[in-house]
Amino acid sequence: QVQLVESGGGLVQAGGSLRLSCAASGGTFSDSVMGWFRLAPGKEREFVASINWSGDNTLYAPSVEGRFAISRDNAKNTVYLQMNSLKPEDTAVYFCAADLSSVVPHGGMIEYDYWGQGTQVTVSS
């Protein structure tokens, strides 16, 4: 059974950093596009970042460009989201997702095949 498990969330002050991890199991993800999305209270789920299978092509939402960095370690079946200069508006549940069909990173939620349960990130002002 395919599973994506996020970790690394928590409470941090504005300006601080967190690194999220997403461990994949039950399938082969080394050739899949991986993405991070978030869901904030009162808002719709939104795209954060995506990465291709080799890690040399990434895509970011404008709101996180320059502050967040997505990376992956295919040997460990793990994707990371390094979040720096965090702002209160980054507070959300963060989800990772896997798209087994695409080649280039993208923010199209409907195309992602598998989703994790999410990890809470809270940024205090």
Side-chain angles (χ1 to χ4, degrees):
Q1 183 178 356
V2 173
Q3 266 197 316
L4 300 177
V5 179
E6 303 93 338
S7 62
L11 174 64
V12 64
Q13 288 189 330
S17 298
L18 281 174
R19 188 176 84 152
L20 306 183
S21 299
C22 172
S25 62
T28 302
F29 294 90
S30 58
D31 55 354
S32 64
V33 166
M34 300 295 293
W36 285 97
F37 295 80
R38 66 187 181 186
L39 179 62
K43 296 186 177 180
E44 295 186 352
R45 189 175 299 196
E46 65 174 359
F47 168 71
V48 175
S50 180
I51 189 168
N52 72 331
W53 72 274
S54 62
D56 62 355
N57 192 359
T58 57
L59 180 68
Y60 296 94
S63 59
V64 307
E65 181 92 50
R67 300 189 298 122
F68 291 10
I70 188 172
S71 61
R72 65 191 297 163
D73 184 339
N74 287 335
K76 296 182 179 179
N77 266 353
T78 301
V79 178
Y80 305 97
L81 185 68
Q82 178 67 44
M83 306 186 295
N84 300 323
S85 302
L86 283 161
K87 305 175 181 180
E89 51 263 44
D90 294 317
T91 294
V93 177
Y94 284 71
F95 301 86
C96 72
D99 177 352
L100 304 185
S101 304
S102 296
V103 177
V104 296
H106 66 89
M109 279 182 277
I110 196 170
E111 297 181 53
Y112 284 83
D113 304 290
Y114 298 102
W115 292 80
Q117 292 300 307
T119 185
Q120 176 71 48
V121 171
T122 303
V123 184
S124 62
S125 58

